[in-house]
Amino acid sequence: MSVAQRLGPVAVAVFVAGMLACSKSPQTEQQAGNDSHPAAAPAIAGYPVATAIGTKLCPHPAPCGDDCANVPYVENDCWTTAHGPAAANVVISASGNPQHSTNMLLCDSGPYALCFFSGPPDATGTGSANNALPCVVAEGADTASCSCQYYGSGVSFVDINGIRNQNAYYQAVNECGHDGAKCANMAVCGSGPKVSSASCAMPEASVCQYIREQNAELPDQSLVPGYDTISTFSLAMAKDYDMTNLPSCKGAYLGCMTAPCSFPEGVEAPKDGSVVQCDCPIARGEYQIGQSGADITCAIADGADGSRYLWSAARTVTHGDPEQRSDQ
C-alpha cells in the first residue's frame, strides 16, 4: 500500500469537514491531510486541496480489517494526520502543549530508547555528564543514525500518529480511536514515573506490548523486525535538559517516534542511560526541538569532516482556524 492510494469521495468529504476543526497546519508540502476520520459530512466548496489529500491519507477503513496486529510488517508511509505522515511525529493538542494530548499513549514499562534530545555532535543540556547524542545524516539518505539513550524499564509514551508499523498503527486506532483517547494516555493519566494504565483505569494499547517485547531475533513479537529496541518518549532525561520555551523551527528534522534501534555490537542488555543507535526518518516542515538554551539553534553546523546533523524533534499542532491550510 502506498501514499498514492486514493480514498473514495466520502472520505474526501470527511477530510473537508475535518479541516474546519484544525487551527495550525505548518505551511509545507507535507501538511495537507485529515487529522481524523469523523462521520461523513457534505463537501464544502473552496477547498481544492481536498482531492490531493485523499491520495495521501492512510486508507480508511484499514486494509487489515478488524484483525490488525504487528505482523506482517508494513512501513507506514501514508499520512496519519492532516499535517503529514507518521515520520512527521505530529501531536495534536488544543492547548499547544504535547503533554496535554491524548495522542501520547501511555506504556506501563520499558525497555525503550529516548531520542528526543538528540541532534548535535556535542553534548547539550545542563548535566555535566550528559552524553553526546549526534544524529548523522548520510549523503542522499532519507534517514539518519541517531545516538539515543536506552532505558530498561519505566513509563514511556507513544504518539499514535507516529507509529511506523502500519498494521500496528491501525490496531492502535481500532483500540484507542484516532486521537488515542480510549486508551491510557498522557493527557488523562499524567506523565510521572508512577503513573500506569491501571492507576487511571484505562487499557494499555497493544503497541506497548510490541515495544516491550522488541527483539532482533523474534520478529513475530516485535514492532519492527530485526532490531533490539524502539524509540519512544519519556521524561527520564528531563532533569538534564531545559524544556521551557522550546524553539520552533522550519525545515528538515528527524521523526524518531517508534524508530528502530540497535544495541552496540556484543552488548545484549545495555545499562540505563547508555547509548544505542536508532534509524530516524527525515521529515520536513515546522517542528519543535525538545530542549532550549543559549546554544540551541534550529540549524546545526556541519562537522569539520563534512558530517551533516539534524535535530530529533516533533510537530505539535492545534485545532480551530480553517484558514491556516497547506494550499495557501
Side-chain angles (χ1 to χ4, degrees):
M1 176 172 43
S2 70
V3 296
Q5 186 170 358
R6 291 184 173 272
L7 300 181
V10 172
V12 172
V14 167
F15 154 74
V16 173
M19 286 302 291
L20 293 180
C22 270
S23 68
K24 183 179 179 183
S25 179
Q27 311 296 305
T28 73
E29 72 278 4
Q30 286 193 353
Q31 297 144 342
N34 188 9
D35 65 337
S36 64
H37 294 275
I44 299 173
Y47 285 81
V49 71
T51 300
I53 297 309
T55 69
K56 298 174 183 283
L57 290 172
C58 293
H60 182 71
C64 48
D66 296 327
D67 299 318
C68 303
N70 60 317
V71 292
Y73 177 78
V74 178
E75 179 73 18
N76 196 10
D77 58 357
C78 55
W79 283 26
T80 54
T81 77
H83 314 284
N89 285 189
V90 173
V91 179
I92 301 174
S93 171
S95 70
N97 185 338
Q99 294 189 40
H100 298 163
S101 174
T102 60
N103 293 172
M104 299 299 288
L105 303 176
L106 185 153
C107 295
D108 286 327
S109 180
Y112 63 92
L114 180 51
C115 296
F116 195 50
F117 304 99
S118 301
D122 299 319
T124 59
T126 58
S128 60
N130 284 2
N131 287 317
L133 301 171
C135 290
V136 183
V137 183
E139 184 69 29
D142 57 4
T143 63
S145 177
C146 277
S147 296
C148 306
Q149 289 192 185
Y150 173 81
Y151 293 90
S153 63
V155 172
S156 72
F157 299 88
V158 174
D159 175 12
I160 192 171
N161 303 318
I163 299 174
R164 293 178 58 207
N165 177 324
Q166 189 171 91
N167 288 336
Y169 161 72
Y170 279 121
Q171 183 181 27
V173 170
N174 288 340
E175 294 172 343
C176 309
H178 283 280
D179 62 357
K182 296 179 181 179
C183 293
N185 63 78
M186 186 183 289
V188 176
C189 304
S191 56
K194 295 184 179 181
V195 303
S196 69
S197 58
S199 68
C200 60
M202 300 185 76
E204 183 188 60
S206 294
V207 67
C208 297
Q209 176 183 342
Y210 307 142
I211 292 169
R212 272 195 299 272
E213 297 184 357
Q214 179 71 33
N215 188 310
E217 305 299 324
L218 299 171
D220 287 349
Q221 70 183 37
S222 301
L223 187 69
V224 182
Y227 290 84
D228 296 311
T229 193
I230 298 294
S231 169
T232 61
F233 172 77
S234 84
L235 296 177
M237 296 168 64
K239 64 181 176 60
D240 292 325
Y241 295 84
D242 183 359
M243 297 182 67
T244 60
N245 301 315
L246 300 181
S248 291
C249 306
K250 187 174 182 179
Y253 66 100
L254 303 172
C256 292
M257 178 59 65
T258 72
C261 311
S262 298
F263 297 158
E265 187 174 356
V267 175
E268 294 184 3
K271 295 180 180 179
D272 281 4
S274 58
V275 175
V276 297
Q277 294 301 128
C278 301
D279 295 334
C280 298
I282 297 173
R284 290 174 176 81
E286 294 185 6
Y287 63 93
Q288 293 81 42
I289 298 171
Q291 57 184 292
S292 58
D295 298 330
I296 303 300
T297 59
C298 295
I300 304 173
D302 291 347
D305 60 355
S307 296
R308 180 190 176 205
Y309 305 95
L310 289 175
W311 283 107
S312 169
R315 182 186 305 162
T316 301
V317 298
T318 58
H319 297 284
D321 183 3
E323 293 306 313
Q324 293 189 26
R325 305 194 312 272
S326 62
D327 59 328
Q328 293 185 324

